[in-house]
């Protein structure tokens, strides 16, 4: 994700940098909190970092955990099966916890519907590069 021209506006660079660090922070928290999508926040952080911070961008690209995710996404919008299963289990656990612990109202159902749509999108992504015939 490096090599793209950076934004020339200083304010845009600051805003993209803020977005990158906030997204990275949420992505790190999402590793341990069920229901929060880690991969999507790391992808957003990497995209924003390419527009604001070459140092953060390089760190993400070379990170032992995030680097393969970013490489897979860059090389064919691939999400590994392990990440798909992890996301599905996490969202399912979160939905069950919400249904058991919270009053059943429209916000709960909206959150569960959002997780369901997110899960459908995740499973619609390829798991590996298509083999040439």
């Amino acid at each position: 994700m490096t090599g793209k021209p950076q934004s020339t506006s200083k304010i845009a660079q600051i805003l993209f940098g803020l977005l990158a660090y906030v997204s990275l922070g949420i992505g790190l928290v999402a590793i341990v909190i069920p229901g929060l999508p880690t991969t999507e926040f790391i992808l957003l952080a990497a995209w924003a970092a390419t527009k604001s911070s070459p140092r953060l961008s390089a760190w993400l690209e070379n990170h032992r955990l995030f680097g393969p995710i970013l490489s897979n996404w860059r090389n064919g919008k691939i999400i590994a099966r392990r990440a798909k299963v992890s996301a599905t289990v996490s969202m399912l656990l979160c939905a069950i916890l919400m249904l058991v612990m919270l009053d059943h109202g429209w916000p709960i159902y909206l959150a569960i519907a959002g997780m369901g749509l997110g899960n459908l999108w995740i499973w619609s992504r390829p798991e590996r590069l298509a083999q040439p015939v």
Side-chain angles (χ1 to χ4, degrees):
M1 293 192 166
T2 58
K4 293 182 181 178
Q6 286 192 354
S7 176
T8 55
S9 166
K10 189 66 173 168
I11 190 81
Q13 225 177 354
I14 291 169
L15 291 174
F16 279 121
L18 183 62
L19 178 62
Y21 282 104
V22 168
S23 297
L24 177 59
I26 294 171
L28 291 173
V29 169
I31 291 172
V32 295
I33 295 183
L36 277 177
T38 303
T39 301
E40 289 84 347
F41 282 108
I42 298 304
L43 292 173
L44 181 59
W47 173 77
T50 62
K51 298 183 174 301
S52 62
S53 172
R55 184 172 158 196
L56 177 60
S57 182
W59 181 82
L60 287 168
E61 298 272 339
N62 295 311
H63 192 275
R64 71 172 182 82
L65 190 65
F66 306 136
I69 293 170
L70 297 173
S71 178
N72 282 344
W73 187 256
R74 187 177 49 250
N75 296 319
K77 308 251 186 284
I78 296 169
I79 299 177
R81 179 169 294 230
R82 182 176 174 188
K84 290 177 180 184
V85 170
S86 175
T88 300
V89 169
S90 176
M91 285 186 245
L92 187 58
L93 177 62
C94 185
I96 291 168
L97 286 172
M98 287 191 307
L99 289 171
V100 169
M101 300 181 81
L102 301 174
D103 291 331
H104 293 208
W106 68 267
I108 300 302
Y109 299 125
L110 183 63
I112 291 171
M115 286 188 284
L117 290 173
N119 206 21
L120 286 173
W121 180 84
I122 288 169
W123 282 94
S124 73
R125 303 296 94 203
E127 295 177 2
R128 62 184 70 84
L129 287 174
Q131 299 297 323
V133 179

